[in-house]
Amino acid sequence: MLGQTATAVQQAGASAVAADAVARVLCGLLPEGSQVVACWRDWAIGAGGAISEDASPALRRRAEQALWDNPQHVVRNEDELLLAWSNLEGNARMSLAASLAAPLTPAQVSAWKAAAQALVGAVLEAERARARIVTLEKSKRLQQALYEIADLASADLEMNEMLARIHAVVGSLMYAENCYIVLYDDVRRTLRFLYFADLIDPYVADPEREFGEDEMRNSVTLALLHHGKPMRGPSAAVSQRLGVTLDASHGPESVDWLGVPMRRDDRVCGAIVVQSYDTPASYTDEDRALLSYVAQHILTALDRRHAHEELEARIEARTHELRQTNRELQAEIQERRRAEKLQAALFRITDLANTSTSLEEFYAAVHGVVDELIVARNFYIALLDDDSQTLHFPYSVDEHDPVRRSRRAIQGLTEYVIRTGQPLLAEAEDVAELVASGQVIQHGPPAYSWLGVPLDHGGETRGCVVVQSYSSEVHYTLHDQNLLSFVAHHFGAGLARQRARESLRAAHLELEARVEARTFELAEANAKLMAQIGERLRAEQRLTYQATHDALTGLPNRAFLLESLTAAIARAQTNPGQHFAVLFMDLDRFKLVNDSIGHAAGDELLIEVARRITSQVREGDLVARLGGDEFAMVIACRRGAHEAVEFASRLLEALNRPMWVAGRELFPAASIGIAAWHPRYQRGEDMLRDADAAMYRAKAEGRERSAVFDERMREAAMQSLDLEADLRRAINSQHFSPYFQPILRLSDGAVIGNEALLRWHHERRGLLLPGQFLAQGEDSGLIEQIDWLLYEQVVGRIAAGVEGYVSVNVSPRHFRSPDFAGRLLRLLDQHRADPAQLRVEITEMALLDDAPRALRMLEQLRARGVLAQLDDFGTGFSALSYLHRFPISALKIDRSFIAGLGAEHREGSLALVRAILALAGTLGIETIAEGVETEPQLAALRELGCNYAQGYLLGRPGPVLGERVP
């Protein structure tokens, strides 16, 4: 803030030094003892002046009066010189008054005039440049601050650190040593201090602490939130304006206080406050506007940060859920894989029992299957003989016992499993305990881990399957025990070949039962399929109905209507007595119902209207809803088109009866267009189009009536098509050219510029004014191509050399195109034309349609020298509130106000024009009166002080640039 103040002081000092230098230099060019006073007013830097030492107040008043009276130069008694002039752009006015100590020759006067004009003009240009530099520096600081705020919102910082850095950014724009940010919940009526930094107030903010409004009674901050608008001044004055009593518990008083609310849409959701305890008037209106602008960006940053934190929390929770789900899924996958692997093993064992050529082959294959499930490098199968006295080992693979011979069944580990009928999972220590207790006798080399499961045969344990490990790295688990038990259970089925045939027969019986069950299931599935086919047919019928009928009213839609029209046309062509008519109906002012009482009420209205229409038609007639508030009817009218007219009258009468919708009594009205059958119609679309055209004719004639399509309407439509075709040919042939109407300076009648007006050299109808084709061009979208043809010709004329400037009219359509300014500037560059000699005339609607885009385009054009003039000023409704924001060089007063200057109500017109001139003078904007056609109008404008004018009295439009056509 101190740096900004110093810069402003330096700039003001530089301006004063430049003004004093002007006065000294101008005095130095005159006889010694002369005095000089210079005055000026400029659109960019405002009013100013320079005065030499000892210059009299009377001399200064004459210079100021000359600035407004517009004299060229006056020599009074050979001891005084008075001079006033404007720059070429018309945006600056200058005057000089000199008191001469000795007479000057005419040559000396001319030389002094030229030097004075050049010097003052150079000083003003330097001041404009300095003003532009100041503006650019402010914009740069603000833009940098907003970028920093946006970066901080997305940075990985704690909330308090982010707010502290935002505080530093605000401090770079203004004095903000004492600053706090508060959030307000207007639903819960509470507020929280997110950030608080103060040199005197020791309060430490707790962002989580909520203060109710009762706790903050007599708080200026709470009053500001309720007020909802920025406030500035000493805290005592602010509290008085807000109607609260200062309370020391809410902080010390400040000599200057600035607070702005933060809004989300139309709701106040917080505020930012800066204050000074030692420097009065620390903040300006510019600081208030700047802080308001920054406050919204701070709110955006806080919202973005809050949304980011919420998103991170949701992501973290979702990630945790996904991890948990993934773990469960992985476990399920592993379990399923094991189950699939076990199932495949069982299938293989079953298959081996049927396909193996010998028991040895079967045993070896089973070993391979078991080895895929668990570690089975040492594997054997033990079986008891029929007398249960001898233990045989039909299959054995062992690292330390390669040949396992049959033996007498004694108390070994294998016999222990067979005897108990239970699986045994034993480590070396477990086996040692069993041996020590006398329950088993060790046979063969000892194992580190031993696992045996019983083999059942006919409900009796007749054998055992064993795996064992001689390595300390391999230990069997309960899971391995369950797997081996499961395998052993299925393996037992293959031990007795004698039961293979019985098992096969049982399998055949089981298969037959499954086939029968499957056949029954297929029969049920077939019945369900037939039911689904029926349901699908009914669904197709419903879809067909929905595709051809309106969902709201149940009436046929446009597609159904066009199909019916095609059939009706075919019948009428083959049977001349089958006459019919198409009625196209549109509700009048239906949008008002939607906008005032809601779309739900509008839907109720449409349903009731559909009911009333269907109640009026006869059997065989068709009623369809085309969309929105448009309905169409196809009715038989064998007695002629008057039958359709009578039906339309009855229908309008039925519609006009009152109806209650959403608790309101409404009187719906409609306009109806009628197209009667004629052999020229070949398509239903053509009849519907003509009925639509007739409906618009009924609306144009006053609404609530019907109109029959006739040849005049057809001829008008054909003329519209022909005019569009002529426009396209004229564009290709470039039959459009500009006519130029001069703009005069009223003080001396000099032509300072021209307005380029569009003319069409029609090949049959001659010269056409815009009113004869502009509407068609707008409807067809061709007006943009026509405008660019005009712009190119005008730029070419400028490049060839013109006096003054040329203005062209730019429609709001162009301002909706993002490339308009760039394209116009490229056109100037291509022709090497001076941009300062081109001006664009825009309407208030173009400014208000998209204000930010319009501002960017106007600033882009002005940066290159293309100035903007506001056309038809005064006919809009809100441009005054935007005028100071846009770089407008001149206002063109609408001809409707000028026409009243010579009329009966002259005082009212005078007041309006005087107000516009006062507004323009306050803003430093030139004024141009349009449509000056009489001498009384011209005299009134001169009396009011209007600078420039155009109209038929001053010059008609002509093809030659700079020529005044009487």
Side-chain angles (χ1 to χ4, degrees), residues 455-457 487-496:
L455 279 174
D456 292 336
H457 177 66
V487 170
H489 176 72
H490 288 75
F491 172 68
L495 294 178

Side-chain angles (χ1 to χ4, degrees), residues 222-234:
L222 181 60
L224 172 69
L225 294 171
H226 287 168
H227 184 61
K229 296 180 181 178
M231 296 296 293
R232 178 175 64 87

Side-chain angles (χ1 to χ4, degrees), residues 524-702:
E524 287 187 341
N526 186 55
K528 292 180 180 179
L529 181 60
M530 294 303 296
Q532 290 177 357
I533 292 173
E535 182 62 26
R536 178 166 294 183
L537 288 175
R538 289 189 290 273
E540 288 178 357
Q541 292 174 354
R542 288 195 299 271
L543 289 175
T544 302
Y545 180 85
Q546 293 172 1
T548 56
H549 287 74
D550 175 51
L552 178 65
T553 61
L555 296 176
N557 59 14
R558 180 184 292 270
F560 190 97
L561 172 69
L562 292 177
E563 290 181 3
S564 301
L565 275 177
T566 301
I569 291 174
R571 290 194 299 270
Q573 289 174 340
T574 57
N575 187 354
Q578 296 287 334
H579 288 184
F580 65 98
V582 176
L583 284 73
F584 192 107
M585 190 188 81
D586 181 88
L587 296 180
D588 297 332
R589 298 177 295 276
F590 176 73
K591 185 177 183 299
L592 181 61
V593 175
N594 278 340
D595 294 343
S596 57
I597 59 178
H599 289 275
D603 290 345
E604 292 183 29
L605 175 63
L606 292 174
I607 293 172
E608 176 61 20
V609 167
R611 189 191 64 78
R612 293 189 181 185
I613 296 174
T614 53
S615 69
Q616 297 298 315
V617 299
R618 297 165 297 189
E619 184 177 359
D621 294 342
L622 175 66
V623 180
R625 182 188 176 208
L626 304 182
D629 59 338
E630 296 179 342
F631 296 82
M633 291 138 273
V634 181
I635 64 171
C637 50
R638 296 178 177 83
R639 293 183 288 110
H642 66 277
E643 188 176 354
V645 175
E646 294 172 358
F647 171 79
S649 299
R650 294 196 304 272
L651 179 58
L652 290 174
E653 182 179 356
L655 288 176
N656 203 32
R657 291 197 298 269
M659 66 175 64
W660 287 89
V661 175
R664 295 180 180 271
E665 187 178 22
L666 302 180
F667 295 83
S671 300
I672 301 176
I674 303 171
W677 155 252
H678 190 277
R680 67 172 176 268
Y681 289 117
Q682 300 297 320
R683 301 187 310 157
E685 290 90 344
D686 298 335
M687 291 194 70
L688 194 62
R689 178 203 62 208
D690 291 347
D692 188 14
M695 183 272 294
Y696 279 105
R697 173 61 62 86
K699 283 187 179 290
E701 292 175 352

Side-chain angles (χ1 to χ4, degrees), residues 336-395:
R336 181 167 296 180
R337 285 176 178 174
R338 286 193 293 267
E340 290 175 352
K341 193 172 182 180
L342 178 60
Q343 187 69 31
L346 299 179
F347 284 153
R348 286 179 60 190
I349 292 172
T350 303
D351 184 64
L352 289 169
N354 296 322
T355 59
S356 297
T357 59
S358 64
L359 283 176
E360 289 76 14
E361 181 181 351
F362 174 66
Y363 295 147
V366 170
H367 178 204
V369 172
V370 173
D371 194 42
E372 291 177 2
L373 299 175
I374 59 178
V375 178
R377 288 193 295 270
N378 305 293
F379 172 88
Y380 67 87
I381 299 172
L383 296 174
L384 284 175
D385 60 3
D386 293 336
D387 60 1
S388 303
Q389 297 299 316
T390 304
L391 189 64
H392 301 283
F393 300 94
Y395 182 83

Side-chain angles (χ1 to χ4, degrees), residues 26-353:
L26 293 178
C27 278
L29 298 176
L30 296 174
E32 185 176 357
S34 300
Q35 291 90 33
V36 174
V37 176
C39 296
W40 58 75
R41 51 187 173 88
D42 186 273
W43 67 270
I45 62 175
I51 184 169
S52 63
E53 296 180 359
D54 302 326
S56 65
L59 188 63
R60 180 171 183 175
R61 285 193 298 273
R62 283 195 290 276
E64 292 175 345
Q65 185 64 31
L67 192 65
W68 297 98
D69 290 345
N70 303 329
Q72 290 306 300
H73 62 85
V74 178
V75 178
R76 188 177 298 165
N77 298 327
E78 296 185 351
D79 61 353
E80 185 175 278
L81 186 61
L82 197 60
L83 176 65
W85 73 97
S86 298
N87 64 350
L88 292 177
E89 291 79 10
N91 52 21
R93 185 72 179 164
M94 296 150 278
S95 67
L96 286 171
S99 176
L100 304 176
L104 298 177
T105 65
Q108 291 174 326
V109 170
S110 297
W112 187 81
K113 276 178 53 182
Q117 289 177 335
L119 180 59
V120 174
V123 170
L124 289 185
E125 185 62 31
E127 291 298 316
R128 292 190 202 101
R130 187 176 294 111
R132 286 195 295 270
I133 290 172
V134 171
T135 302
L136 288 173
E137 288 178 350
K138 290 180 179 179
S139 299
K140 181 179 179 181
R141 288 197 302 271
L142 177 59
Q143 186 179 31
Q144 183 63 32
L146 297 180
Y147 282 156
E148 291 179 7
I149 291 173
D151 290 339
L152 290 172
S154 59
D156 188 15
L157 299 174
E158 294 293 333
M159 177 65 76
N160 194 54
E161 183 178 357
M162 183 191 76
L163 294 176
R165 294 194 183 183
I166 290 177
H167 176 201
V169 173
V170 174
S172 68
L173 301 175
M174 65 187 69
Y175 177 79
E177 291 290 336
N178 308 296
C179 173
Y180 61 87
I181 299 173
V182 62
L183 287 185
Y184 178 61
D185 189 339
D186 59 349
V187 177
R188 301 174 60 190
R189 307 187 74 82
T190 60
L191 51 89
R192 292 185 295 123
F193 288 88
L194 285 188
Y195 180 78
F196 193 96
D198 199 285
L199 299 177
I200 296 179
D201 194 342
Y203 173 73
V204 177
D206 181 6
E208 302 300 324
R209 168 74 188 282
E210 288 188 342
F211 294 88
E213 290 190 352
D214 292 336
E215 298 176 79
M216 300 301 291
R217 192 171 298 149
N218 290 326
S219 167
V220 180
T221 304
L222 181 60
L224 172 69
L225 294 171
H226 287 168
H227 184 61
K229 296 180 181 178
M231 296 296 293
R232 178 175 64 87
S235 57
V238 171
S239 62
Q240 184 177 4
R241 290 200 299 271
L242 293 176
V244 298
T245 304
L246 279 179
D247 188 348
S249 64
H250 296 311
E253 291 188 34
S254 57
V255 298
D256 202 5
W257 190 92
L258 174 60
V260 298
M262 296 187 294
R263 288 180 171 274
R264 187 180 291 110
D265 296 328
D266 58 343
R267 298 172 56 190
V268 176
C269 56
I272 179 170
V273 176
V274 293
Q275 54 188 333
S276 173
Y277 296 109
D278 54 2
T279 306
S282 297
Y283 307 108
T284 64
D285 288 336
E286 182 179 357
D287 292 331
R288 179 178 61 188
L290 182 62
L291 191 60
S292 298
Y293 191 65
V294 172
Q296 292 307 120
H297 284 76
I298 292 176
L299 177 62
T300 301
L302 292 174
D303 289 344
R304 186 187 304 170
R305 183 59 177 268
H306 182 65
H308 180 70
E309 291 175 351
E310 287 185 347
L311 179 61
E312 286 185 344
R314 290 198 298 271
I315 290 174
E316 184 177 356
R318 184 57 179 164
T319 302
H320 177 73
E321 293 175 0
L322 289 175
R323 286 175 179 169
Q324 181 65 27
T325 303
N326 185 57
R327 285 193 294 268
E328 295 174 356
L329 182 60
Q330 290 297 327
E332 182 180 349
I333 290 173
Q334 292 297 329
E335 185 62 31
R336 181 167 296 180
R337 285 176 178 174
R338 286 193 293 267
E340 290 175 352
K341 193 172 182 180
L342 178 60
Q343 187 69 31
L346 299 179
F347 284 153
R348 286 179 60 190
I349 292 172
T350 303
D351 184 64
L352 289 169

